[in-house]
Amino acid sequence: MTDRLACAATVLVVGSLLVGCAGDPQCEAGPHVVREVGPSIVLDSATGADGEPVRVVELSRVRFDGRPVDRRLLASSPRSDGLSLDGGRLVCDLPCGLAGTGGRWQIRVTGPAASTALVDAHGEPRLDPGGCSPAVGRAPEVVLRLAPADGAP
């Protein structure tokens, strides 16, 4: 009788482990390492001073937690999306995502006819807790309304 109980308990434990991870090779026993997956903030869309949608904007004066951000590193990060460098200018093909950890972003956005907007927002990337758990969270999405340049009609 004791052997039967031990056998049944073993089958239940092994079965629950297989069902919990669904046979996923990513599932591992032991400590899970939390890592960031994706951007910290997403510039979702922009409307120009004339009310028309804007597809491409330039990002300048990019600061994260009060410190300047190297635009080359930002554009080349695998967690950034839709960013490129054009003659040293950081260009965002909307929507674009900026890589970073949780923290405060400050960005000057320039669109057609030098229309501008300032972004001051808290970014928070999605996190992968590792093991069998799915990624959690969602990077904030910013919708921009560009204002006419000083002196523009």
Side-chain angles (χ1 to χ4, degrees):
M1 182 78 170
T2 307
D3 289 337
R4 285 185 185 170
L5 287 175
C7 182
T10 302
V11 167
L12 286 175
V13 169
V14 170
S16 67
L17 288 174
L18 290 175
V19 170
C21 290
D24 188 343
Q26 297 296 323
C27 291
E28 299 175 4
H32 293 221
V33 177
V34 176
R35 63 185 176 94
E36 297 161 0
V37 291
S40 168
I41 191 169
V42 174
L43 302 181
D44 186 56
S45 61
T47 305
D50 59 1
E52 292 296 316
V54 175
R55 295 225 347 101
V56 178
V57 293
E58 179 183 350
L59 308 181
S60 61
R61 300 182 190 165
V62 180
R63 299 180 81 72
F64 184 75
D65 283 342
R67 292 182 299 273
V69 174
D70 183 330
R71 62 183 142 242
R72 292 168 299 183
L73 293 176
L74 189 59
S76 66
S77 171
R79 288 182 287 148
S80 288
D81 186 38
L83 296 177
S84 61
L85 290 176
D86 181 11
R89 298 175 328 135
L90 183 59
V91 177
C92 164
D93 184 10
L94 294 165
C96 66
L98 287 70
T101 58
R104 182 177 176 199
W105 286 97
Q106 294 172 304
I107 308 163
R108 179 182 172 99
V109 179
T110 306
S115 55
T116 62
L118 298 176
V119 174
D120 189 341
H122 183 80
E124 195 66 48
R126 292 185 61 192
L127 300 176
D128 179 0
C132 299
S133 303
V136 295
R138 181 175 180 179
E141 296 178 357
V142 177
V143 176
L144 303 163
R145 171 83 175 144
L146 302 174
D150 292 339

